[in-house]
Amino acid sequence: MLERTLVIVKPDGVRRGLVGEVLRRLERAGLRIVGLKMLHLSRPLAESLYAQHRGKEFFEPLIEFMTSGPIVAICIEGDNAVSRVRALIGPTNPAEAPKGTIRGDFGSNVRENVVHAADSLQHAQREIALLFREEELIS
Ligand code: IDP
Ligand code: MG
């Protein structure tokens, strides 16, 4: 099924010059970039993006991290894009992520893991709407 999903190059990835590497891997996998922008997340937007984690012990430091510098938001389209992008980025903890995945190759620790990707079609639709206006996406 043709799906759209949201990918974010997190502040650590932008600081370390990994934006091009992430885009290259997405494109090489045959996925299509339909939206792309750099921005600095506001605290309310970061909290909304990670609303499902509110109350967990890692929530506050996660919000501090995600608002610590600019991010790059990428809207990706392709067949089964949600699960394919999750496979490309690898598990949350880089120590457990296989080589060849973005987190396995570049992640520093379980918080600073270079990229975010939506984990379901429902979350993808919600997250894309949080970061992109309709007219910012290619049809
Ligand atoms: P995901 O990014 O692989 O979907 P989630 O469980 O949704 O992982 O967690 C969201 C983000 O919160 C992670 O990518 C990571 O930055 C941070 N995080 C998750 N678990 C921990 C933890 O145990 N310690 C510190 N940060 C965490
Ligand atoms: Mg998640």
Side-chain angles (χ1 to χ4, degrees), residues 49-50 52-53 86 92 103 116-119 123 127:
L49 188 67
Y50 284 116
Q52 65 183 127
H53 296 306
R86 289 292 296 197
T92 310
R103 286 165 165 174
H116 164 84
D119 65 1
H123 284 160
E127 293 174 12

Side-chain angles (χ1 to χ4, degrees), residues 10-72:
K10 294 182 177 187
D12 60 328
V14 174
R15 275 193 285 270
R16 292 169 57 204
L18 294 171
V19 174
E21 179 67 25
V22 172
L23 291 171
R24 189 179 70 82
R25 289 185 183 214
L26 292 166
E27 289 185 315
R28 197 176 51 179
L31 294 157
R32 177 172 171 243
I33 299 165
V34 295
L36 179 66
K37 65 174 152 184
M38 177 176 271
L39 70 156
H40 198 132
L41 285 180
S42 66
R43 173 168 280 268
L45 188 49
E47 288 182 350
S48 183
L49 188 67
Y50 284 116
Q52 65 183 127
H53 296 306
R54 191 182 284 280
K56 294 180 185 166
E57 86 288 343
F58 64 80
F59 182 74
E60 188 53 34
L62 172 64
I63 299 306
E64 288 287 325
F65 164 55
M66 290 299 296
T67 57
S68 69
I71 58 116
V72 172

Side-chain angles (χ1 to χ4, degrees), residues 22 25-26 88-90 98 100-107 113-115:
V22 172
R25 289 185 183 214
L26 292 166
L88 279 178
I89 75 170
T101 65
I102 295 171
R103 286 165 165 174
D105 291 346
F106 301 109
N113 55 9
V114 183
V115 277

